[in-house]
Amino acid sequence: MIKKNLTRRQQEISDYLQSHEHVFPFPPTLEELCHAMGVSSRGSMHKHIQALIAAGVVEPMVGRQRGIRLRPQHPPSPVSTSEAMGLEIPFLGYIAAGQPIEALAIPEMMVIPHWLRASRACYVLQVKGDSMIDEGILDGDWVIIEKRDWADNGEIVVALVDNNDATLKRIEQVPGKTILHPANANMKPMSFAPEQVRVQGILVGQMRTYR
Amino acid sequence: MIKKNLTRRQQEISDYLQSHEHVFPFPPTLEELCHAMGVSSRGSMHKHIQALIAAGVVEPMVGRQRGIRLRPQHPPSPVSTSEAMGLEIPFLGYIAAGQPIEALAIPEMMVIPHWLRASRACYVLQVKGDSMIDEGILDGDWVIIEKRDWADNGEIVVALVDNNDATLKRIEQVPGKTILHPANANMKPMSFAPEQVRVQGILVGQMRTYR
DNA sequence: GAGTATAGAACATAAAGAGAACAAAAGGAA
DNA sequence: TTCCTTTTGTTCTCTTTATGTTCTATACTC
């Protein structure tokens, strides 16, 4: 990299370009840059950009419109480490309030980001129904469940009721009873004897795709 | 990939072709493209297409009718991909209704599952605030944004208003105005002149962690 | 004063579009 | 097939607008 010493303003502009590089659908125009940096003269901005070109930070642009692109830098080595990969955990099936978990015959593995907290044994379920809609868990969402047989109050859990119905609910355990709170204005909390409810896991992550 | 630098319009048309490739029963005609892109001159569109051919994006077509086909792109993946595992895409910063995107100085890469549909260039933002709470997008959620400068009605977009405020909203474009719908009972849709609003990307995925 | 930043005007050219005229392809009807 | 009509791609010329470039003048800091 050629990188002469940049002036304060040049550095600011370079930083801005760098942090916004991936946001722009197209490279910015001088005027857009002016606006972003609080400058009102295209001419002034032009001079800065020319300096950045001379310094090797920005691609040379000859008259081209929207030609302000950062020059590809060659950083130390961004090569993906194993740390940077995803984890593979099993997708087990579907969970709908009030039905048993609808299990896949053969669980398929699916990749999730490691930073989605899959520290202990986890699995993925796909949500059916709207029972947790007020918590932002919609029909079709994927939830990552950490395998665990106990829960703290307030956690969202996969609970097996009467050894039959599996549901995703927020749990509240008080002496003598266990209450499962749906997050849907149309549904009421349900109260059970503690021995009726078995925690199968707790919610640690959630994913959704659009379209 | 051959990919010369495309102009803004060329990029738009290329994007359009790509995203509609599987929608068309057969490749579109120039006139259909004109209509789709809001151009009234076949001649103008022809020039764009020729540019895309020269850039290697579109198959050469010699006189053939309905010959506008995308060239098979070998590496459709935008960023470093470790195919079996996850995709690495840049995490750029935070988005809150009514403020500019708060950009990280240096974007960090983050792994997302490849099945979260990061077909084209994408980036990740973290949501601040509750403006989309009724759509199940909560404060602190991560959203995956596909870089795009146009949107179909009903899509959730990152929209830049007055070249200043970036927000995540559902978009509705009608002749003469563009309406941004928050998903929060306490907020009202906002209506703008189309030229006030610039789409920067559309929502394709969402993730959340609990703990 | 040297170096840096800024504003603003004037100018130059790239990009995009409109529209007409023509040519090649496609589809039908006889 | 042949003739005709319609569709669709191609070429041109002309405008308009967006955007990069150049210059000149002013101000601030060291």
Side-chain angles (χ1 to χ4, degrees):
Chain A
M1 180 152 58
I2 309 171
K3 186 136 114 196
K4 239 176 285 183
N5 288 330
L6 302 182
T7 68
R8 172 182 61 88
R9 206 56 167 138
Q10 288 161 15
Q11 189 63 56
E12 283 174 10
I13 294 169
S14 166
D15 288 348
Y16 178 84
L17 286 174
Q18 204 158 2
S19 62
H20 284 68
E21 184 178 16
H22 300 281
V23 177
F24 300 128
F26 323 96
T29 64
L30 285 178
E31 198 139 296
E32 285 167 353
L33 268 187
C34 283
H35 183 88
M37 308 301 296
V39 170
S40 75
S41 157
R42 259 186 348 226
S44 306
M45 183 56 69
H46 180 258
K47 203 163 68 176
H48 287 131
I49 296 299
Q50 290 307 315
L52 288 178
I53 292 175
V57 177
V58 168
E59 289 281 358
M61 49 183 293
V62 270
R64 279 193 84 247
Q65 293 189 191
R66 292 183 171 276
I68 304 172
R69 306 159 191 270
L70 280 173
R71 208 138 185 239
Q73 305 289 354
H74 45 104
S77 178
V79 183
S80 43
T81 67
S82 58
E83 234 304 297
M85 316 249 106
L87 292 175
E88 277 204 324
I89 65 178
F91 167 50
L92 294 186
Y94 308 90
I95 184 169
Q99 270 114 48
I101 288 180
E102 188 181 314
L104 263 49
I106 23 103
E108 35 183 289
M109 300 304 279
M110 93 195 285
V111 176
I112 65 153
H114 65 288
W115 52 266
L116 266 188
R117 274 312 238 142
S119 54
R120 243 173 300 175
C122 286
Y123 54 92
V124 173
L125 298 174
Q126 191 171 19
V127 174
K128 281 187 174 178
D130 292 328
S131 71
M132 294 299 286
I133 197 170
D134 293 340
E135 296 272 358
I137 299 173
L138 311 186
D139 186 54
D141 282 8
W142 311 86
V143 288
I144 301 167
I145 307 294
E146 181 179 306
K147 215 181 287 185
R148 232 215 263 142
D149 66 351
W150 56 270
D152 290 326
N153 278 340
E155 284 184 316
I156 296 177
V157 304
V158 174
L160 188 65
V161 177
D162 289 333
N163 236 296
N164 191 28
D165 298 339
T167 77
L168 191 65
K169 294 275 173 356
R170 194 172 283 283
I171 198 169
E172 181 189 355
Q173 297 147 315
V174 295
K177 61 180 174 179
T178 295
I179 307 169
L180 298 178
H181 296 270
N184 183 323
N186 300 321
M187 303 183 191
K188 296 232 163 100
M190 290 181 297
S191 184
F192 302 93
E195 58 275 16
Q196 284 182 283
V197 178
R198 232 172 69 202
V199 173
Q200 295 197 307
I202 67 164
L203 177 64
V204 296
Q206 176 265 151
M207 296 176 290
R208 183 187 304 148
T209 73
Y210 289 83
R211 91 173 79 174
Chain B
M1 182 147 59
I2 309 172
K3 186 146 106 189
K4 227 181 290 181
N5 289 333
L6 301 181
T7 69
R8 187 225 288 259
R9 205 58 168 136
Q10 288 161 16
Q11 185 68 54
E12 283 176 5
I13 293 170
S14 165
D15 285 351
Y16 179 85
L17 287 174
Q18 253 180 307
S19 61
H20 286 68
E21 187 175 16
H22 304 290
V23 177
F24 296 125
F26 12 75
T29 65
L30 284 178
E31 197 137 297
E32 284 166 353
L33 266 187
C34 283
H35 185 82
M37 308 298 297
V39 171
S40 75
S41 157
R42 261 188 346 237
S44 304
M45 182 56 70
H46 180 259
K47 203 163 63 178
H48 286 131
I49 296 299
Q50 290 307 314
L52 288 178
I53 292 174
V57 176
V58 168
E59 289 282 357
M61 49 182 291
V62 271
R64 289 190 63 243
Q65 293 191 189
R66 293 189 169 277
I68 303 172
R69 307 158 188 275
L70 278 173
R71 210 156 190 218
Q73 301 290 343
H74 325 256
S77 48
V79 212
S80 63
T81 138
S82 23
E83 190 39 59
M85 308 262 100
L87 285 176
E88 277 203 324
I89 66 177
F91 166 51
L92 295 185
Y94 307 89
I95 184 168
Q99 270 113 47
I101 287 180
E102 191 180 311
L104 264 47
I106 24 104
E108 37 184 287
M109 300 306 276
M110 98 193 283
V111 176
I112 65 155
H114 60 291
W115 53 267
L116 267 187
R117 285 228 51 15
S119 55
R120 231 169 319 164
C122 288
Y123 55 91
V124 173
L125 298 174
Q126 191 172 19
V127 175
K128 281 187 174 178
D130 292 328
S131 71
M132 294 299 286
I133 197 169
D134 293 340
E135 296 271 0
I137 299 172
L138 311 186
D139 186 55
D141 281 8
W142 311 86
V143 288
I144 301 169
I145 306 295
E146 180 179 306
K147 208 189 291 189
R148 232 233 266 99
D149 74 332
W150 55 271
D152 290 328
N153 279 338
E155 286 184 314
I156 296 177
V157 304
V158 174
L160 189 66
V161 178
D162 290 332
N163 234 297
N164 194 28
D165 298 340
T167 75
L168 191 66
K169 294 270 166 19
R170 193 171 284 282
I171 197 170
E172 180 189 357
Q173 297 148 312
V174 296
K177 62 180 174 180
T178 295
I179 308 170
L180 299 178
H181 297 270
N184 183 323
N186 300 320
M187 304 184 192
K188 296 233 164 98
M190 290 182 296
S191 183
F192 301 94
E195 59 272 18
Q196 285 180 282
V197 178
R198 236 173 68 197
V199 173
Q200 293 198 309
I202 68 166
L203 176 63
V204 297
Q206 177 267 155
M207 297 175 291
R208 182 187 305 148
T209 73
Y210 292 82
R211 70 177 76 179

